[in-house]
Amino acid sequence: MASFCSRLTISLVLFVLVLGCVNAQLSTDFYYSSCPKLLSTVRSTVQSAISKETRMGASLLRLFFHDCFVNGCDGSILLDDTSSFTGEKNANPNRNSARGYEVIDSIKSAVEKVCPGVVSCADILAIAARDSVQILGGPSWNVKLGRRDARTASQSAANNGIPAPSSNLNQLISRFSALGLSTKDLVALSGGHTIGQARCTNFRARIYNESNIDTSFARTRQSSCPRTSGSGDNNLAPLDLQTPTTFDNYYFRNLVQKKGLLHSDQQLFNGGSTDSIVRGYSTNPSSFSSDFVSAIIKMGDISPLTGSKGEIRKNCRRIN
């Protein structure tokens, strides 16, 4: 009987341990003891980078988005290609477009000095995104942490998983839904385009071929984006015409006025199911801010590696 009880106790302990690994959760105080200076270290490096180039805030936010949409928020976007490894940096949505990798490197170096081998690159991305939004005038939130870094990446998943600027509304809704994100989350997260810039190659078709666009806005954009493909492809224009370096609700005001830069932007206000959400955000900035926070926390929960899965990279660009 004693033997049976001891075996039962051991089995229960093992079951609890296994359950704990399976259900390992992200938490806002994950590094409270192991790296108490983490948040201030990340913040100062992000602040420095944005002081040098305001656009960098949008770039860091976008890196987090592009990471989470490809097999979850696991830092896979940060891995460099090698002769034996193909990462995500040269996938179509990222090549000559995703940027800010060197800022993540700087943050990682600074964090490694205060707590070596403790903090994942995936978590650094999540914190840097939050700091970027807040520094540029947007809301703040407590970032859930505890992600570990992927040992793999997928260029094909990046090509197929990150919504293209040519996407229509149904495609956008479908892609976000596949990741557990609602239509409201889609609209709120798209509001991240209140900061940042886009390349001419990604909005040329809209400014020359589409009718649901303000004509004077189209002409303004045409002045620096020639009609001919291959000419001026990398010329930049702000995603938010009014306040391109401030995180606010002007992106939605622009959509109501048919001044969305990307086709996928204007799809959110084009007689479809999301018009009412856009109109609401255009007149109620606090509603947008709170919904954006809810949505980005939800996005940060997509398929994280926790417990003993993955690793804590020493260098964000390569597997240990």
Side-chain angles (χ1 to χ4, degrees):
M1 181 70 181
S3 172
F4 171 78
C5 287
S6 61
R7 284 202 304 273
L8 183 63
T9 301
I10 291 168
S11 297
L12 283 170
V13 168
L14 287 172
F15 176 75
V16 170
L17 285 172
V18 169
L19 196 66
C21 290
V22 171
N23 290 331
Q25 296 292 313
L26 304 182
S27 65
T28 56
D29 60 356
F30 188 83
Y31 298 108
Y32 182 79
S33 301
S34 59
C35 192
K37 293 182 179 176
L38 171 62
L39 297 182
S40 60
T41 303
V42 175
R43 173 79 180 206
S44 62
T45 311
V46 173
Q47 181 75 67
S48 174
I50 292 175
S51 296
K52 288 175 188 164
E53 185 198 15
T54 313
R55 182 188 173 204
M56 187 53 68
S59 300
L60 294 173
L61 175 60
R62 187 163 179 256
L63 274 185
F64 183 47
F65 177 82
H66 282 210
D67 185 40
C68 291
F69 263 60
V70 183
N71 297 328
C73 312
D74 60 4
S76 58
I77 193 173
L78 303 173
L79 292 168
D80 283 343
D81 289 358
T82 69
S83 57
S84 59
F85 179 87
T86 302
E88 297 163 18
K89 288 185 176 179
N90 284 305
N92 292 330
N94 296 330
R95 187 174 58 249
N96 300 322
S97 178
R99 58 197 296 277
Y101 300 114
E102 69 289 344
V103 176
I104 299 299
D105 292 339
S106 297
I107 298 170
K108 178 65 170 172
S109 296
V111 169
E112 285 296 301
K113 283 175 185 164
V114 295
C115 40
V118 172
V119 181
S120 68
C121 300
D123 276 346
I124 284 172
L125 265 183
I127 301 166
R130 185 274 310 274
D131 288 349
S132 295
V133 169
Q134 187 181 24
I135 288 166
L136 293 176
S140 186
W141 61 93
N142 293 323
V143 181
K144 291 163 73 171
L145 302 167
R147 301 169 191 82
R148 289 167 65 84
D149 296 320
R151 295 191 180 100
T152 59
S154 174
Q155 188 175 100
S156 62
N159 280 327
N160 296 319
I162 298 169
S166 57
S167 300
N168 65 33
L169 181 58
N170 287 338
Q171 289 170 324
L172 292 169
I173 291 171
S174 174
R175 182 60 197 137
F176 276 68
S177 176
L179 296 172
L181 297 168
S182 68
T183 301
K184 185 191 278 187
D185 296 330
L186 155 66
V187 180
L189 287 169
S190 297
H193 283 178
T194 180
I195 51 175
Q197 302 188 59
R199 296 182 300 147
C200 166
T201 187
N202 287 325
F203 60 82
R204 177 182 281 121
R206 169 148 170 77
I207 62 173
Y208 286 103
N209 303 333
E210 296 187 8
S211 57
N212 62 338
I213 186 168
D214 179 86
T215 51
S216 65
F217 171 67
R219 279 197 300 272
T220 299
R221 292 283 73 96
Q222 288 168 5
S223 67
S224 59
C225 181
R227 184 188 290 269
T228 308
S229 182
S231 176
D233 282 4
N234 293 321
N235 291 355
L236 297 170
L239 288 157
D240 174 354
L241 179 72
Q242 306 296 330
T243 54
T245 58
T246 302
F247 197 98
D248 55 25
N249 72 327
Y250 271 84
Y251 166 80
F252 298 105
R253 296 193 199 185
N254 295 333
L255 296 186
V256 171
Q257 296 170 7
K258 298 184 180 179
K259 294 178 181 177
L261 183 63
L262 303 178
H263 174 82
S264 55
D265 287 330
Q266 197 59 56
Q267 281 288 294
L268 302 178
F269 192 83
N270 193 42
S273 61
T274 51
D275 281 20
S276 59
I277 305 173
V278 170
R279 200 178 287 283
Y281 291 160
S282 74
T283 58
N284 191 336
S286 61
S287 171
F288 161 54
S289 290
S290 61
D291 285 353
F292 178 85
V293 166
S294 297
I296 200 165
I297 291 171
K298 203 166 158 187
M299 185 181 82
D301 283 342
I302 298 173
S303 305
L305 299 173
T306 58
S308 59
K309 297 174 185 172
E311 65 180 18
I312 304 297
R313 279 184 224 142
K314 295 182 178 70
N315 180 329
C316 291
R317 292 175 180 265
R318 55 179 178 264
I319 299 157
N320 290 343

